[in-house]
Amino acid sequence: MLKSAPNRFKRNNRVDYSEKVADAVAHFWRTRLKQGESQGTTTGVRDTGGRRAVTGGAQLDGFIELLASILEDAGLPQHTIHKKKKTALPGYFRPTKAWDLVVVVDGQLLASIEFKSHVGPSFGNNFNNRVEEALGSAKDILTAYREGAFKPSQKPWMGWLMLLEDAARSQKPTRVSEPHFKVLKQLKKASYAKRYELFCERLVRERLYDAACLILSDRNEGMNGSYSEPNPEISFRNFATSLRAHALAFVNMREG
C-alpha cells in the first residue's frame, strides 16, 4: 500500500540537498581510497593503476541511498525500491540490463537510474565508453517500452548521474581529429568536463533521459565532501526534484 508523502520542503519550497550530496561525495572518495589500499591484501595480487579502486564497486552507494530515501519520502514503500538485487530489466537489443536503481510498484516500472563515475588519469577512451553505454542503454529500454515489455507501465522515469574527477586533465581543452569533416563547434576544443556537461544537457534535451546530473569533485577536497555543479540545468537538485515529482504524481494517482 502506498503512503501519503510528508511535506519536507524548505527555503520557500526549494529542497536543499547540498549537505547530503556532500556526504555522498565524501563516501565516494573515502570508499575508493579504502578499496585501493585494501585490494590484494589477502591474495597478494593487486590490479594495476586505478582499476583496483574501480573494480571494488560501492563508491556511489551514497547517491543510491540518497535517491532511495527521496523516493521513500515521496510515499513509495521501501520494498518497491531495488538497489542491489532485482535491478535487471528487459531490453530490445539484448535480453536484459542491470540498472543501479529500479523502482517497481505493483508490477509497474516507475523508474530506472544509472550512476557512473570517471576518475583520471585516463579520460579519452573512458569518456567515449561512458557516452556509448549511456546512449545504448537509453535506446534499448525505450525501444523495449515501445514494444510493450513493461506493460501495463507508463513510460518509466529514466535518470543518468555522473561524478567526474575535477582535475587538470579533465579541465584542459582537448584536441580532436578532423581528417574528413569539421567537429561541431561546441565540442571542438572542449575539455572532458565540458564534454560531459554538454552530453548530460543533450541527453535530457533529446529526451533520452528525463534528467541527468553532473557533479565535479577534486579527489583531495572531495574527501571532505567538496564538489561543484557546472550547470544548473543538470544539477542534483533538478535531478532529484524531477524524480520526486514523478514519484509523487504516481502516488497521488494511485490514492485518488
Side-chain angles (χ1 to χ4, degrees):
M1 178 179 294
L2 300 180
K3 57 185 179 181
S4 298
N7 184 359
R8 302 200 177 186
F9 286 102
K10 299 177 181 180
R11 298 186 180 181
N12 298 323
N13 292 335
R14 291 165 64 95
V15 181
D16 184 7
Y17 295 109
S18 57
E19 290 186 7
K20 293 183 178 179
V21 172
D23 289 342
V25 168
H27 175 84
F28 170 82
W29 289 113
R30 292 172 185 175
T31 302
R32 184 182 175 86
L33 177 63
K34 185 182 298 184
Q35 290 173 344
E37 292 175 342
S38 64
Q39 196 275 340
T41 56
T42 302
T43 64
V45 179
R46 298 178 68 87
D47 291 331
T48 58
R51 187 175 184 274
R52 61 180 175 269
V54 175
T55 55
Q59 295 103 349
L60 292 167
D61 280 3
F63 288 99
I64 296 175
E65 293 297 333
L66 173 52
L67 286 172
S69 70
I70 290 170
L71 289 166
E72 287 188 56
D73 285 347
L76 295 176
Q78 188 178 58
H79 71 270
T80 67
I81 305 166
H82 305 279
K83 299 171 287 185
K84 295 292 184 180
K85 300 178 180 179
K86 298 181 179 180
T87 63
L89 296 174
Y92 181 77
F93 298 96
R94 54 188 166 183
T96 63
K97 171 188 163 44
W99 293 74
D100 293 314
L101 191 152
V102 168
V103 183
V104 180
V105 184
D106 296 336
Q108 296 192 52
L109 176 60
L110 187 63
S112 58
I113 307 174
E114 193 88 332
F115 299 83
K116 294 294 181 183
S117 65
H118 192 162
V119 174
S122 176
F123 288 100
N125 290 334
N126 289 338
F127 169 78
N128 289 334
N129 291 339
R130 298 291 193 280
V131 168
E132 291 165 7
E133 182 181 8
L135 293 174
S137 296
K139 181 64 175 178
D140 198 29
I141 191 173
L142 287 171
T143 308
Y145 164 72
R146 185 197 70 194
E147 294 299 308
F150 308 114
K151 286 182 178 180
S153 309
Q154 297 184 9
K155 178 187 173 299
W157 189 95
M158 294 166 52
W160 195 80
L161 183 149
M162 164 61 67
L163 190 155
L164 173 67
E165 181 182 5
D166 192 353
R169 289 189 180 184
S170 65
Q171 294 288 357
K172 180 181 178 181
T174 56
R175 296 180 179 179
V176 294
S177 177
E178 301 173 293
H180 303 293
F181 305 99
K182 295 296 182 182
V183 171
L184 294 177
K185 184 177 180 180
Q186 281 185 295
L187 294 169
K188 190 166 186 176
K189 294 184 179 180
S191 66
Y192 287 106
K194 187 62 177 180
R195 291 183 184 186
Y196 269 120
E197 179 184 344
L198 292 170
F199 178 61
C200 288
E201 187 180 84
R202 291 171 182 182
L203 285 179
V204 178
R205 293 187 179 185
E206 293 295 322
R207 300 182 181 180
L208 293 172
Y209 289 84
D210 294 278
C213 176
L214 175 61
I215 294 172
L216 304 181
S217 179
D218 173 86
R219 69 169 62 208
N220 295 317
E221 297 297 326
M223 292 287 184
N224 298 317
S226 178
Y227 72 95
S228 63
E229 297 177 297
N231 186 336
E233 186 175 344
I234 52 173
S235 67
F236 184 85
R237 187 179 67 82
N238 274 13
F239 188 95
T241 300
S242 175
L243 176 61
R244 187 176 188 274
H246 183 75
L248 281 170
F250 183 84
V251 170
N252 290 336
M253 178 186 69
R254 296 296 295 271
E255 290 181 343

